[in-house]
Amino acid sequence: MSALYQERSDRMYQYGYDEHVLRRELEYYFSEHKMTQAQSALEYAWQKHEGMTRMNGQPFIVHPLFVATFSIAIGAKTEDQICIALLHDICEDCGVEPEELPFNERVQRGVKHLTFKYDYKEDDDDDEKMFKKLVVKSETYARLIEDPEALICKAIDRYHNLTTAEELPEKNIIKNVLETHRWLLPVIYNAITIKKYRQYYHQLYALSINLRALNDLLALKHNIALNTMS
């Protein structure tokens, strides 16, 4: 076995995914379905996230590639939905405004729904910053009910984060579990009942079951007290 092959095998074992394998699979799918905008979104995300890593040391680009691949696997309805998945962290992490994204308005709007934007002032103390952060988070999650494709992206985004949560500090695990329980799952449950979102029902329903099971398991394992909001 060559040293290069061993290195690639070790990386895939350690991280669970290889960004180049994921990219090739997506490019093949986009080519087969003539999704030129999705291919452009993949290249854009690859460039913008270059050199970035996740908290576990994994190349950051693996995350949006996973979210896009998962979106396809559960039946993404439109090319825009896949583009939103690929670009969902661009604005927060790369300093790009949603309106600056070189993609159509539907994609820009979806990414905007997924972007947490905090309006801190220079003289804000820690309590004021925490208050503003909680308000923005609750409002941003609540607005996801307006956009089922962005909501599905957020659910997959959180699912992937929870699957790798054990590699994070305890405070991050608690934050993700509580946000999922208090804000994300209730929005998904409400979206499932909206008739005009019927075409997304199966995606939302499958995600709600898997996300709830994983979140509750982490809560139990880490002794995180959940209320009865959902």
Side-chain angles (χ1 to χ4, degrees), residues 165-166 168 170 173-174 177 217-225:
E166 296 291 2
L168 302 177
E170 187 73 9
I173 297 175
I174 294 172
V177 168
L217 181 64
L218 283 169
L220 182 64
K221 184 175 182 179
H222 292 270
N223 297 313
I224 302 171

Side-chain angles (χ1 to χ4, degrees), residues 21 29 46 66 73 77 86 90 94 105 109 136 152 175 179 190 198-199 201 209 222 230:
V21 173
Y29 183 87
W46 190 277
F66 174 91
K77 299 298 182 182
L86 287 165
I90 288 287
C94 303
E105 291 184 7
R109 187 169 66 252
V136 169
I152 289 169
K175 178 184 77 70
E179 282 186 12
N190 287 334
R198 264 304 162 196
Q199 62 175 316
Y201 174 85
I209 292 174
H222 292 270
S230 62

Side-chain angles (χ1 to χ4, degrees), residues 45-210:
W46 190 277
Q47 176 188 0
K48 289 294 184 180
H49 289 301
E50 184 178 5
M52 298 174 64
T53 58
R54 307 190 80 202
M55 293 183 69
N56 61 3
Q58 184 182 57
F60 189 89
I61 191 61
V62 167
H63 175 62
L65 295 183
F66 174 91
V67 176
T69 302
F70 201 111
S71 299
I72 293 169
I74 64 170
K77 299 298 182 182
T78 67
E79 183 176 6
D80 288 342
Q81 185 176 346
I82 299 170
C83 291
I84 291 168
L86 287 165
L87 302 168
H88 73 274
D89 277 326
I90 288 287
C91 294
E92 276 188 43
D93 295 343
C94 303
V96 180
E97 292 297 326
E99 296 77 14
E100 296 173 350
L101 293 171
F103 301 96
N104 65 39
E105 291 184 7
R106 174 70 194 87
V107 173
Q108 292 177 355
R109 187 169 66 252
V111 175
K112 186 173 184 177
H113 276 113
L114 292 160
T115 301
F116 296 100
K117 192 169 184 179
Y118 308 108
D119 184 25
Y120 298 140
K121 306 297 183 185
E122 289 186 8
D123 58 347
D124 284 346
D125 58 23
D126 289 343
D127 285 343
E128 185 66 22
K129 287 181 179 179
M130 178 60 68
F131 174 75
K132 288 182 176 180
K133 189 171 187 177
L134 288 172
V135 170
V136 169
K137 278 187 175 290
S138 63
E139 290 179 346
T140 302
Y141 275 103
R143 279 198 299 271
L144 287 173
I145 196 68
E146 303 171 9
D147 190 334
E149 293 187 347
L151 176 57
I152 289 169
C153 178
K154 186 62 186 178
I156 299 172
D157 166 53
R158 181 52 51 83
Y159 182 82
H160 188 221
N161 287 339
L162 292 178
T163 62
T164 57
E166 296 291 2
E167 303 167 0
L168 302 177
E170 187 73 9
K171 66 177 184 179
N172 294 84
I173 297 175
I174 294 172
K175 178 184 77 70
N176 281 330
V177 168
L178 291 179
E179 282 186 12
T180 303
H181 181 78
R182 294 173 177 171
W183 290 326
L184 180 55
L185 281 168
V187 177
I188 296 174
Y189 296 147
N190 287 334
I192 288 173
T193 68
I194 298 176
K195 290 183 179 179
K196 70 176 182 177
Y197 291 166
R198 264 304 162 196
Q199 62 175 316
Y200 301 100
Y201 174 85
H202 295 293
Q203 293 183 67
L204 289 165
Y205 182 70
L207 285 166
S208 71
I209 292 174
N210 287 278

